PDB file of all heavy atoms in Angstrom:
ATOM      1  N   LEU J 618     141.124 141.288 -45.288  1.00 98.00           N
ATOM      2  CA  LEU J 618     142.023 140.130 -45.344  1.00 98.00           C
ATOM      3  C   LEU J 618     142.918 140.265 -46.569  1.00 98.00           C
ATOM      4  O   LEU J 618     142.423 140.358 -47.694  1.00 98.00           O
ATOM      5  CB  LEU J 618     141.226 138.824 -45.442  1.00 98.00           C
ATOM      6  CG  LEU J 618     140.067 138.619 -44.459  1.00 98.00           C
ATOM      7  CD1 LEU J 618     139.463 137.227 -44.631  1.00 98.00           C
ATOM      8  CD2 LEU J 618     140.521 138.824 -43.021  1.00 98.00           C
ATOM      9  N   ARG J 619     144.236 140.296 -46.348  1.00 97.00           N
ATOM     10  CA  ARG J 619     145.202 140.400 -47.434  1.00 97.00           C
ATOM     11  C   ARG J 619     146.134 139.196 -47.347  1.00 97.00           C
ATOM     12  O   ARG J 619     146.818 138.998 -46.335  1.00 97.00           O
ATOM     13  CB  ARG J 619     146.002 141.690 -47.336  1.00 97.00           C
ATOM     14  CG  ARG J 619     146.937 141.935 -48.521  1.00 97.00           C
ATOM     15  CD  ARG J 619     147.521 143.325 -48.451  1.00 97.00           C
ATOM     16  NE  ARG J 619     146.455 144.339 -48.496  1.00 97.00           N
ATOM     17  CZ  ARG J 619     146.630 145.620 -48.170  1.00 97.00           C
ATOM     18  NH1 ARG J 619     147.824 146.034 -47.772  1.00 97.00           N
ATOM     19  NH2 ARG J 619     145.624 146.469 -48.236  1.00 97.00           N
ATOM     20  N   VAL J 620     146.150 138.380 -48.403  1.00 97.00           N
ATOM     21  CA  VAL J 620     146.814 137.079 -48.318  1.00 97.00           C
ATOM     22  C   VAL J 620     148.330 137.203 -48.177  1.00 97.00           C
ATOM     23  O   VAL J 620     148.944 138.163 -48.638  1.00 97.00           O
ATOM     24  CB  VAL J 620     146.479 136.201 -49.546  1.00 97.00           C
ATOM     25  CG1 VAL J 620     145.002 135.909 -49.601  1.00 97.00           C
ATOM     26  CG2 VAL J 620     146.959 136.849 -50.840  1.00 97.00           C
ATOM     27  N   LYS J 621     148.904 136.187 -47.540  1.00 96.00           N
ATOM     28  CA  LYS J 621     150.354 136.086 -47.402  1.00 96.00           C
ATOM     29  C   LYS J 621     150.922 135.243 -48.554  1.00 96.00           C
ATOM     30  O   LYS J 621     150.191 134.836 -49.457  1.00 96.00           O
ATOM     31  CB  LYS J 621     150.701 135.460 -46.044  1.00 96.00           C
ATOM     32  CG  LYS J 621     150.258 136.311 -44.852  1.00 96.00           C
ATOM     33  CD  LYS J 621     150.638 135.674 -43.525  1.00 96.00           C
ATOM     34  CE  LYS J 621     150.203 136.538 -42.346  1.00 96.00           C
ATOM     35  NZ  LYS J 621     150.553 135.936 -41.036  1.00 96.00           N
ATOM     36  N   LYS J 622     152.190 134.978 -48.503  1.00 93.00           N
ATOM     37  CA  LYS J 622     152.881 134.238 -49.565  1.00 93.00           C
ATOM     38  C   LYS J 622     152.273 132.853 -49.751  1.00 93.00           C
ATOM     39  O   LYS J 622     151.898 132.189 -48.778  1.00 93.00           O
ATOM     40  CB  LYS J 622     154.372 134.121 -49.208  1.00 93.00           C
ATOM     41  CG  LYS J 622     155.216 133.496 -50.289  1.00 93.00           C
ATOM     42  CD  LYS J 622     156.680 133.435 -49.861  1.00 93.00           C
ATOM     43  CE  LYS J 622     157.528 132.766 -50.932  1.00 93.00           C
ATOM     44  NZ  LYS J 622     158.944 132.654 -50.517  1.00 93.00           N
ATOM     45  N   ASP J 623     152.203 132.416 -51.004  1.00 93.00           N
ATOM     46  CA  ASP J 623     151.724 131.082 -51.384  1.00 93.00           C
ATOM     47  C   ASP J 623     150.244 130.862 -51.082  1.00 93.00           C
ATOM     48  O   ASP J 623     149.795 129.715 -50.949  1.00 93.00           O
ATOM     49  CB  ASP J 623     152.544 129.976 -50.689  1.00 93.00           C
ATOM     50  CG  ASP J 623     153.997 129.989 -51.146  1.00 93.00           C
ATOM     51  OD1 ASP J 623     154.242 130.381 -52.307  1.00 93.00           O
ATOM     52  OD2 ASP J 623     154.864 129.627 -50.340  1.00 93.00           O
ATOM     53  N   ILE J 624     149.493 131.935 -50.966  1.00 96.00           N
ATOM     54  CA  ILE J 624     148.052 131.826 -50.754  1.00 96.00           C
ATOM     55  C   ILE J 624     147.348 132.578 -51.882  1.00 96.00           C
ATOM     56  O   ILE J 624     147.684 133.732 -52.175  1.00 96.00           O
ATOM     57  CB  ILE J 624     147.638 132.407 -49.385  1.00 96.00           C
ATOM     58  CG1 ILE J 624     148.336 131.672 -48.244  1.00 96.00           C
ATOM     59  CG2 ILE J 624     146.116 132.353 -49.216  1.00 96.00           C
ATOM     60  CD1 ILE J 624     147.962 130.204 -48.120  1.00 96.00           C
ATOM     61  N   ASP J 625     146.382 131.921 -52.515  1.00 97.00           N
ATOM     62  CA  ASP J 625     145.634 132.531 -53.603  1.00 97.00           C
ATOM     63  C   ASP J 625     144.507 133.392 -53.034  1.00 97.00           C
ATOM     64  O   ASP J 625     143.690 132.896 -52.248  1.00 97.00           O
ATOM     65  CB  ASP J 625     145.050 131.447 -54.509  1.00 97.00           C
ATOM     66  CG  ASP J 625     144.268 132.033 -55.660  1.00 97.00           C
ATOM     67  OD1 ASP J 625     144.853 132.781 -56.456  1.00 97.00           O
ATOM     68  OD2 ASP J 625     143.047 131.762 -55.743  1.00 97.00           O
ATOM     69  N   PRO J 626     144.432 134.670 -53.381  1.00 97.00           N
ATOM     70  CA  PRO J 626     143.405 135.552 -52.818  1.00 97.00           C
ATOM     71  C   PRO J 626     141.976 135.110 -53.137  1.00 97.00           C
ATOM     72  O   PRO J 626     141.078 135.219 -52.298  1.00 97.00           O
ATOM     73  CB  PRO J 626     143.719 136.924 -53.428  1.00 97.00           C
ATOM     74  CG  PRO J 626     144.608 136.666 -54.588  1.00 97.00           C
ATOM     75  CD  PRO J 626     145.344 135.413 -54.284  1.00 97.00           C
ATOM     76  N   ASP J 627     141.766 134.583 -54.353  1.00 97.00           N
ATOM     77  CA  ASP J 627     140.422 134.108 -54.707  1.00 97.00           C
ATOM     78  C   ASP J 627     140.012 132.922 -53.843  1.00 97.00           C
ATOM     79  O   ASP J 627     138.833 132.770 -53.500  1.00 97.00           O
ATOM     80  CB  ASP J 627     140.378 133.698 -56.186  1.00 97.00           C
ATOM     81  CG  ASP J 627     140.419 134.892 -57.118  1.00 97.00           C
ATOM     82  OD1 ASP J 627     139.428 135.632 -57.159  1.00 97.00           O
ATOM     83  OD2 ASP J 627     141.448 135.098 -57.790  1.00 97.00           O
ATOM     84  N   PHE J 628     140.979 132.068 -53.499  1.00 97.00           N
ATOM     85  CA  PHE J 628     140.677 130.904 -52.661  1.00 97.00           C
ATOM     86  C   PHE J 628     140.218 131.346 -51.271  1.00 97.00           C
ATOM     87  O   PHE J 628     139.263 130.787 -50.714  1.00 97.00           O
ATOM     88  CB  PHE J 628     141.901 129.998 -52.543  1.00 97.00           C
ATOM     89  CG  PHE J 628     141.675 128.787 -51.687  1.00 97.00           C
ATOM     90  CD1 PHE J 628     141.039 127.668 -52.197  1.00 97.00           C
ATOM     91  CD2 PHE J 628     142.074 128.779 -50.353  1.00 97.00           C
ATOM     92  CE1 PHE J 628     140.808 126.547 -51.398  1.00 97.00           C
ATOM     93  CE2 PHE J 628     141.854 127.664 -49.550  1.00 97.00           C
ATOM     94  CZ  PHE J 628     141.225 126.545 -50.081  1.00 97.00           C
ATOM     95  N   ILE J 629     140.880 132.357 -50.717  1.00 97.00           N
ATOM     96  CA  ILE J 629     140.486 132.857 -49.397  1.00 97.00           C
ATOM     97  C   ILE J 629     139.078 133.445 -49.452  1.00 97.00           C
ATOM     98  O   ILE J 629     138.249 133.199 -48.571  1.00 97.00           O
ATOM     99  CB  ILE J 629     141.501 133.900 -48.883  1.00 97.00           C
ATOM    100  CG1 ILE J 629     142.847 133.232 -48.609  1.00 97.00           C
ATOM    101  CG2 ILE J 629     140.981 134.604 -47.629  1.00 97.00           C
ATOM    102  CD1 ILE J 629     142.797 132.124 -47.560  1.00 97.00           C
ATOM    103  N   TYR J 630     138.800 134.212 -50.502  1.00 97.00           N
ATOM    104  CA  TYR J 630     137.454 134.791 -50.634  1.00 97.00           C
ATOM    105  C   TYR J 630     136.399 133.686 -50.711  1.00 97.00           C
ATOM    106  O   TYR J 630     135.376 133.744 -50.005  1.00 97.00           O
ATOM    107  CB  TYR J 630     137.378 135.680 -51.869  1.00 97.00           C
ATOM    108  CG  TYR J 630     135.979 136.172 -52.159  1.00 97.00           C
ATOM    109  CD1 TYR J 630     135.317 137.012 -51.257  1.00 97.00           C
ATOM    110  CD2 TYR J 630     135.298 135.775 -53.313  1.00 97.00           C
ATOM    111  CE1 TYR J 630     134.024 137.454 -51.503  1.00 97.00           C
ATOM    112  CE2 TYR J 630     134.011 136.217 -53.565  1.00 97.00           C
ATOM    113  CZ  TYR J 630     133.375 137.052 -52.657  1.00 97.00           C
ATOM    114  OH  TYR J 630     132.088 137.472 -52.904  1.00 97.00           O
ATOM    115  N   GLN J 631     136.622 132.679 -51.534  1.00 96.00           N
ATOM    116  CA  GLN J 631     135.643 131.598 -51.648  1.00 96.00           C
ATOM    117  C   GLN J 631     135.494 130.849 -50.322  1.00 96.00           C
ATOM    118  O   GLN J 631     134.396 130.423 -49.961  1.00 96.00           O
ATOM    119  CB  GLN J 631     136.056 130.628 -52.765  1.00 96.00           C
ATOM    120  CG  GLN J 631     135.946 131.204 -54.163  1.00 96.00           C
ATOM    121  CD  GLN J 631     134.509 131.487 -54.583  1.00 96.00           C
ATOM    122  OE1 GLN J 631     133.556 131.035 -53.957  1.00 96.00           O
ATOM    123  NE2 GLN J 631     134.354 132.254 -55.657  1.00 96.00           N
ATOM    124  N   SER J 632     136.577 130.733 -49.582  1.00 96.00           N
ATOM    125  CA  SER J 632     136.523 130.025 -48.296  1.00 96.00           C
ATOM    126  C   SER J 632     135.660 130.750 -47.275  1.00 96.00           C
ATOM    127  O   SER J 632     134.943 130.123 -46.492  1.00 96.00           O
ATOM    128  CB  SER J 632     137.936 129.833 -47.733  1.00 96.00           C
ATOM    129  OG  SER J 632     138.693 128.989 -48.568  1.00 96.00           O
ATOM    130  N   ILE J 633     135.716 132.092 -47.280  1.00 95.00           N
ATOM    131  CA  ILE J 633     134.913 132.814 -46.277  1.00 95.00           C
ATOM    132  C   ILE J 633     133.437 132.901 -46.690  1.00 95.00           C
ATOM    133  O   ILE J 633     132.591 133.265 -45.866  1.00 95.00           O
ATOM    134  CB  ILE J 633     135.492 134.221 -45.977  1.00 95.00           C
ATOM    135  CG1 ILE J 633     135.413 135.138 -47.198  1.00 95.00           C
ATOM    136  CG2 ILE J 633     136.897 134.127 -45.423  1.00 95.00           C
ATOM    137  CD1 ILE J 633     134.282 136.080 -47.188  1.00 95.00           C
ATOM    138  N   LEU J 634     133.125 132.535 -47.924  1.00 94.00           N
ATOM    139  CA  LEU J 634     131.713 132.479 -48.331  1.00 94.00           C
ATOM    140  C   LEU J 634     131.028 131.222 -47.817  1.00 94.00           C
ATOM    141  O   LEU J 634     129.802 131.119 -47.849  1.00 94.00           O
ATOM    142  CB  LEU J 634     131.595 132.516 -49.858  1.00 94.00           C
ATOM    143  CG  LEU J 634     132.011 133.813 -50.558  1.00 94.00           C
ATOM    144  CD1 LEU J 634     131.822 133.681 -52.065  1.00 94.00           C
ATOM    145  CD2 LEU J 634     131.222 135.004 -50.031  1.00 94.00           C
TER     146      LEU J 634
END
Side-chain angles (χ1 to χ4, degrees):
L618 311 184
R619 186 171 299 165
V620 297
K621 297 181 179 180
K622 186 179 178 182
D623 296 330
I624 300 296
D625 180 60
D627 288 290
F628 179 81
I629 293 300
Y630 173 64
Q631 291 293 346
S632 295
I633 65 100
L634 293 180

